[in-house]
């Protein structure tokens, strides 16, 4: 029996046992669900500023977890080792066509209850809660909800770092348990999102608009030479961000690209250009930070 995954714009139609584009959701009995639920590939107690989130409990730490899989295919992916990994039809973990061992890819199953216990354990070290990050966490949104409920009961914070490529119904599911978000706004070109990233700009914009109304929101734009390094594009982004009916001032991080993944033979973004983009951004957005400079 076929099933349709409704999480994002891909709307993958999957036959029994088939895995979707994100490599993290599978059809079983005509229902598409997460195969990465609780399967943690990365866990660390990070400074909140590393997410990056600059104006939500600055100076604190957050227990950060990620799994595998992503519904985009950015050629400059900064966490491709896990974001571009997933299970194949036989249950093997792969990155692209390469099979990887458990030794190469750390993988541990952590229940929502156990993760909540870990978050409490690290409170004396400044931990404020749990951040779902590193890969695309909305591919296992069910885990975010189940963990988020427990985190809220302990009066701790939920943080989401996402590419924003998800239907707003998914956002509505996780929003009650998320206090702060950082969402990537990778480009302001529909063509770039579609042809280069494998994404959908309109869906990202809808996601951001909704998130801005009910949570602390910060955005990140990685300036990648030859992809989104247009002054006009940055200006259009700034104008659009300023137009949002946000709960509070939106924070915008404009960051420097370093060669990575399929673009590892390129050049880093010129630092002076990153600063120039930030100056343009500050014409429209109150809080603009530069990163990786």
């Amino acid at each position: 029996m076929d099933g349709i995954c409704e999480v994002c714009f891909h709307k993958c139609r999957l036959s029994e046992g088939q895995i979707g584009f994100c490599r993290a959701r599978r059809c079983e009995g005509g229902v598409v669900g997460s195969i990465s639920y609780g399967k943690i590939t990365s866990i660390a107690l990070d400074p909140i500023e590393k997410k990056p989130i600059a104006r939500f409990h600055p100076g604190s730490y957050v227990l950060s977890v990620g799994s595998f899989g992503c519904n985009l295919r950015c050629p400059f992916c900064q966490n491709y080792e896990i974001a571009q990994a997933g299970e194949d039809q036989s249950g093997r973990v792969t990155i692209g066509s390469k099979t990887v061992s458990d030794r190469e890819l750390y993988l541990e199953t952590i229940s929502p209850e156990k993760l909540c216990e870990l978050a409490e354990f690290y409170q004396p070290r400044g931990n404020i809660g749990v951040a779902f990050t590193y890969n695309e966490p909305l591919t296992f949104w069910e885990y975010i909800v189940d963990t988020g409920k427990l985190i809220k009961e302990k009066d701790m914070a939920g943080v989401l770092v996402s590419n924003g490529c998800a239907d707003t119904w998914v956002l509505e599911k996780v929003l009650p348990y998320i206090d702060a978000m950082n969402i990537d706004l990778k480009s302001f070109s529909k063509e770039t999102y579609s042809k280069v990233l494998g994404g959908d700009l309109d869906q990202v914009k809808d996601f951001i608009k909704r998130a801005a109304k009910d949570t602390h929101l910060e955005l990140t734009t990685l300036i990648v030479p030859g992809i989104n390094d247009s002054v006009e594009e940055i200006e259009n982004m700034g104008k659009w961000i300023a137009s949002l009916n946000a709960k509070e001032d939106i924070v915008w991080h404009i960051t420097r690209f370093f060669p990575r993944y399929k673009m590892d033979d390129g050049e880093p973004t010129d630092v002076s250009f990153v600063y120039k983009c930030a100056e343009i951004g500050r014409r429209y957005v109150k809080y603009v930070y530069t990163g990786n400079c």
Side-chain angles (χ1 to χ4, degrees):
M1 184 184 302
D2 288 355
I4 299 177
C5 183
E6 301 285 355
V7 169
C8 75
F9 65 95
H10 285 297
K11 296 293 184 287
C12 294
R13 180 180 290 275
L14 306 174
S15 57
E16 183 66 19
Q18 187 178 6
I19 294 171
F21 181 85
C22 67
R23 304 190 182 105
R25 300 185 70 80
R26 176 169 51 212
C27 179
E28 294 183 356
V31 178
V32 179
S34 169
I35 58 175
S36 58
Y37 184 103
K39 295 179 180 178
I40 303 303
T41 60
S42 300
I43 182 167
L45 186 63
D46 285 337
I48 190 74
E49 289 83 0
K50 189 178 177 181
K51 298 305 93 192
I53 291 178
R55 302 189 67 83
F56 180 80
H57 294 281
S60 64
Y61 288 81
V62 62
L63 184 62
S64 302
V65 295
S67 186
F68 58 78
C70 184
N71 56 354
L72 296 185
R73 294 291 184 268
C74 304
F76 47 81
C77 183
Q78 304 295 290
N79 287 328
Y80 73 93
E81 296 94 340
I82 58 172
Q84 303 305 322
E87 289 188 4
D88 64 15
Q89 301 303 122
S90 66
R92 298 174 303 175
V93 177
T94 65
I95 300 177
S97 60
K98 177 188 175 186
T99 301
V100 296
S101 67
D102 289 342
R103 182 172 298 178
E104 290 176 295
L105 185 70
Y106 166 87
L107 190 64
E108 179 181 356
T109 300
I110 302 178
S111 68
E113 292 78 12
K114 178 62 176 177
L115 187 56
C116 186
E117 288 176 9
L118 286 171
E120 284 189 285
F121 176 80
Y122 285 111
Q123 278 186 306
R125 293 178 56 180
N127 180 44
I128 62 168
V130 173
F132 303 94
T133 178
Y134 301 137
N135 70 310
E136 176 44 56
L138 292 176
T139 58
F140 68 167
W141 65 265
E142 300 94 334
Y143 183 70
I144 296 175
V145 170
D146 291 346
T147 306
K149 289 176 181 177
L150 300 176
I151 292 296
K152 281 295 179 187
E153 289 174 2
K154 300 298 182 179
D155 200 28
M156 290 186 288
V159 175
L160 178 71
V161 182
S162 171
N163 62 30
C165 283
D167 276 6
T168 52
W169 72 262
V170 177
L171 177 58
E172 298 295 347
K173 292 285 188 180
V174 303
L175 200 53
Y177 314 106
I178 299 298
D179 301 282
M181 292 188 193
N182 185 294
I183 301 172
D184 286 332
L185 183 57
K186 296 174 183 284
S187 171
F188 216 58
S189 161
K190 290 185 179 182
E191 184 176 15
T192 297
Y193 256 94
S194 175
K195 295 183 178 180
V196 179
L197 313 178
D200 184 281
L201 176 59
D202 286 337
Q203 186 167 73
V204 175
K205 289 169 69 176
D206 288 344
F207 192 98
I208 290 172
K209 285 179 185 177
R210 176 65 188 92
K213 294 180 180 179
D214 281 317
T215 191
H216 175 86
L217 179 61
E218 306 201 7
L219 305 177
T220 295
T221 302
L222 181 71
I223 305 298
V224 184
I227 291 183
N228 64 352
D229 57 341
S230 159
V231 168
E232 181 182 6
E233 188 169 345
I234 294 299
E235 188 155 23
N236 288 338
M237 280 188 192
K239 291 177 180 177
W240 180 77
I241 295 169
S243 73
L244 297 176
N245 181 25
K247 173 185 176 183
E248 56 188 63
D249 289 318
I250 294 174
V251 179
W252 191 12
H253 299 265
I254 297 179
T255 61
R256 186 186 186 204
F257 161 82
F258 284 95
R260 190 82 169 135
Y261 192 35
K262 295 182 179 180
M263 295 182 65
D264 61 356
D265 58 350
E267 293 292 327
T269 315
D270 183 82
V271 173
S272 63
F273 185 70
V274 175
Y275 289 146
K276 180 178 181 180
C277 290
E279 289 174 5
I280 294 169
R282 291 186 185 108
R283 298 174 189 169
Y284 310 99
V285 179
K286 183 176 181 180
Y287 298 112
V288 179
Y289 294 82
T290 57
N292 298 338
C293 293

